[in-house]
Amino acid sequence: MTQFSWTLQSFRQILKSCIANKDLLTGKSLHTIYLKSLIPSSTYLSNHFILLYSKCNLLTTAHHAFNQTHEPNVFSFNALIAAYAKESLIHVARHLFDQIPQPDLVSFNTLINAYADRGDTLSALSLFREMREMGLVMDGFTFSGVITACCNHVGLIRQLHSLAFSSGFDSYVSVKNSLLTYYSKNGILEEAEMVFNGMGEEVRDEVSWNSMIVAYGQHKRGLKALALYRDMVHRGFEIDMFTLASVLTTFSCVEDLSGGLQFHAKAIKTGFNKNRHVGSGLIDMYAKCGAGMSESRKVFEEICGSDLVVWNTMISGYAQNKELSVEALECFRQMQRAGYWPDDCSFVCVISACSNLSSPSQGKQFHALAMKSEIPSNQISVNNALVTMYSKCGNLQDARKLFHRMPEHNTVTLNSIIAGYAQHGIGTESLNLFEQMLAASIAPTSITLVSILSACAHTGRVEEGKKYFSMMKDVFGIEPEAEHYSCMIDLLGRAGKLSEAERLIDTMPFSPGSAAWAALLGACRKYGNMELAEKAANQFLQLEPTNAVPYVMLASMYSAARKWEEAARIRKLMRDRGIRKKPGCSWIELNKRVHVFVAEDNSHPRIKEIQMYLDEMFVKMKRAGYVPDVRWAFVKDDETGEQEKEIMLAHHSEKLAVAFGLLFTKHGEPLLVVKNLRICGDCHNAIKFMSAIARRKITVRDAYRFHCFEDGRCSCGDYW
DNA sequence: CTAGGGTTAG
């Protein structure tokens, strides 16, 4: 007997160190010896084997060890439940939980936390309720877990807060910390501050400080976050990777590159730049602060042993720097080759890159892959990204189909589909969905209102636009921002209400940005108001001295008004200042390859055929009544004759891309062309004729919206 | 209990 107890004791000790060190080899041989030996079966020992396998991610082995346990107790169940929860196999975890004769505090806490991880608020809450009804003892973990599970519902968090207060659980720092975090994540910085300030010096731990730094960062209070960080240093807190990562999110949020650079230096000094959390924070900071992806790439290569999140940070960085969208797809494939399984976040990023590229064939591929991959957790964000992808690829039907098939919608889903309809110029549908949203008391966001106002602007709904704009602050509780004002100026200007637009820009509560002046300038061009155009162009220039848009607009307006000297003066100014017009560029996908066309660029291998086709087409078009509008030819000098201007017009990138599509696709197949700038007025007219003559549906997505040409008409109704 | 990645507009 003494011999057995000695053996048991030494077994326990070795096994414990195996668990601590994840020493699977020793642990397994210990298990074999244990099963073959005469040691009486001990539930205690068996439980520790379950723990060991769970820690080493050997789920089946852990379950096997559980089955071999003669008299499993609560502890055995809890160990196995934790193992399944870790692998997000929540149903098995639940099944095991239901088999426990008398679940204890740990059983409940484990399952609540598992539900919290999955974002399953209802299940977590019902367990919590069950605990209270049973009169079971709770602890700080129970509360933090259930608060995490309620992360998106402010109302519930408030209730839990008062419950924690009345039952004394708010004395746990962890409970206060999670309240602080989730108040902030729900947009209520004031409440987060109150929790933080209410804690007092002695209670606050480093977690509280880090959480508050992140809270300030999320609300774009860069200075406050930094002040808090300095305070931490001053008080002698050790600056670890948690703090570094927290401060880095602040720089990403407020786009403070110089601050980010300073902390990169700090990270290198402490070696934390190789840490995955800090490293991905750095990658994200460089991507969001406009440092380009080359800096991000450098950090990426220094990180010791990357993981899925680090890869996703890279993919998202490429996708957010829109011109690097092709690299985003490449990065996704590199990640797959490196042996990582994409998760929902990987798909969201890569699908958004496909939206930027308007590449329906690749977008569909990722859609199929995402379905095959059975993404864990909620797929809603993947579906949201897909709705946008289909819509931006010109395929509103599939976007709408997916929208109706989705099991669940949230604000982003609605914003996406509303924006889709707005960009396609289907204002009625946008407004309908918006009214449905309000009726279902889903709160619109500032983005919803940008979409709604631009839907009104695209379709000439002046009164409705004004109505919604005036409702913003009082009814929806959304403070109008620069974007909303720009939409309103666009709305009024396009409708010809130039003086009203001017009044709005003059009475804005903050100084108008370049977008506002650009909207006004566009309206002036449409209605030929030279005087106001000069004012708008000058204001624009002061804000963005290197932008070619105001020069080009003014010059073409002077030409159109036959003020040749003025036009020449502007062009000379532009030359002298070294400002160049951003070249117009259009692309079209054919057989899964993207063909790019730039005006006056003859590098495409089939350019001869394309131009011959265009020449023939122009003859037919002119016979049908097409008259080239040479005002849209941007000439570099003043000796250019009308004939030459006409030829220049014929070489605009969107015409080349459309001709290429008509020439090399099957008859009847609809075309999708994307342009980086706004479509030119002459091309808009020309493509109408082309759609009628070639009997094709031709969709052009420009920088503003979709133009869907069919049978000689455009879906925008020439209101653009 | 705290730190890294995401979708929507212009």
Side-chain angles (χ1 to χ4, degrees), chain A residues 244-513:
Chain A
L244 272 181
S246 305
V247 179
L248 278 172
T249 61
T250 303
F251 297 129
S252 295
C253 290
V254 302
E255 295 179 28
D256 177 357
L257 181 60
S258 63
L261 284 165
Q262 279 177 38
F263 273 76
H264 190 181
K266 271 192 220 298
I268 291 172
K269 242 183 263 170
T270 46
F272 285 133
N273 61 321
K274 299 187 190 323
N275 168 276
R276 286 191 287 261
H277 284 88
V278 176
S280 57
L282 285 166
I283 294 174
D284 191 51
M285 183 276 292
Y286 281 121
K288 290 207 170 97
C289 296
M293 286 302 287
S294 48
E295 291 303 314
S296 298
R297 189 94 216 172
K298 279 184 213 155
V299 178
F300 177 75
E301 272 150 20
E302 299 243 297
I303 295 175
C304 293
S306 66
D307 65 7
L308 188 61
V309 176
V310 174
W311 277 101
N312 285 347
T313 313
M314 286 297 289
I315 300 172
S316 100
Y318 283 122
Q320 278 167 13
N321 288 272
K322 290 197 171 126
E323 63 284 1
L324 299 176
S325 295
V326 174
E327 280 82 353
L329 305 197
E330 177 51 30
C331 192
F332 184 94
R333 293 188 179 115
Q334 273 177 23
M335 178 185 84
Q336 286 178 304
R337 281 197 291 274
Y340 291 93
W341 287 100
D343 68 354
D344 50 345
C345 195
S346 327
F347 279 109
V348 165
C349 299
V350 82
I351 290 166
S352 140
C354 293
S355 309
N356 297 338
L357 294 167
S358 278
S359 170
S361 68
Q362 314 215 60
K364 265 188 194 152
Q365 268 178 30
F366 288 116
H367 188 176
L369 189 61
M371 307 236 297
K372 256 195 291 184
S373 309
E374 290 173 12
I375 304 298
S377 83
N378 48 352
Q379 289 204 1
I380 190 160
S381 43
V382 177
N383 279 323
N384 290 347
L386 283 168
V387 166
T388 300
M389 188 275 290
Y390 282 116
S391 156
K392 286 212 171 169
C393 289
N395 190 343
L396 200 54
Q397 286 72 34
D398 280 356
R400 159 193 228 149
K401 249 190 246 162
L402 185 62
F403 176 80
H404 288 297
R405 265 209 314 265
M406 281 172 69
E408 188 183 10
H409 292 160
N410 62 16
T411 318
V412 177
T413 324
L414 282 154
N415 286 352
S416 306
I417 193 86
I418 287 175
Y421 280 117
Q423 288 157 352
H424 281 84
I426 309 177
T428 332
E429 277 299 317
S430 285
L431 297 186
N432 274 345
L433 280 159
F434 183 56
E435 291 296 339
Q436 279 175 35
M437 193 175 172
L438 297 179
S441 40
I442 300 172
T445 65
S446 120
I447 294 174
T448 320
L449 273 130
V450 173
S451 304
I452 284 301
L453 295 179
S454 72
C456 293
H458 287 315
T459 51
R461 290 175 157 80
V462 178
E463 290 314 312
E464 276 160 302
K466 279 189 189 169
K467 182 184 88 187
Y468 289 126
F469 185 68
S470 69
M471 284 166 77
M472 278 184 69
K473 199 175 166 184
D474 300 332
V475 183
F476 307 133
I478 302 167
E479 198 72 47
E481 294 159 66
E483 290 83 354
H484 302 106
Y485 278 95
S486 302
C487 284
M488 283 310 287
I489 290 157
D490 188 33
L491 172 88
L492 296 167
R494 261 184 229 241
K497 300 179 182 295
L498 290 183
S499 47
E500 210 175 321
E502 190 186 6
R503 210 177 317 134
L504 187 60
I505 211 169
D506 287 337
T507 56
M508 276 171 65
F510 42 87
S511 59

Side-chain angles (χ1 to χ4, degrees), chain A residues 87 295 311 416 564 616 666:
Chain A
E87 299 289 321
E295 291 303 314
W311 277 101
S416 306
W564 311 114
E616 285 169 35
K666 277 200 295 286

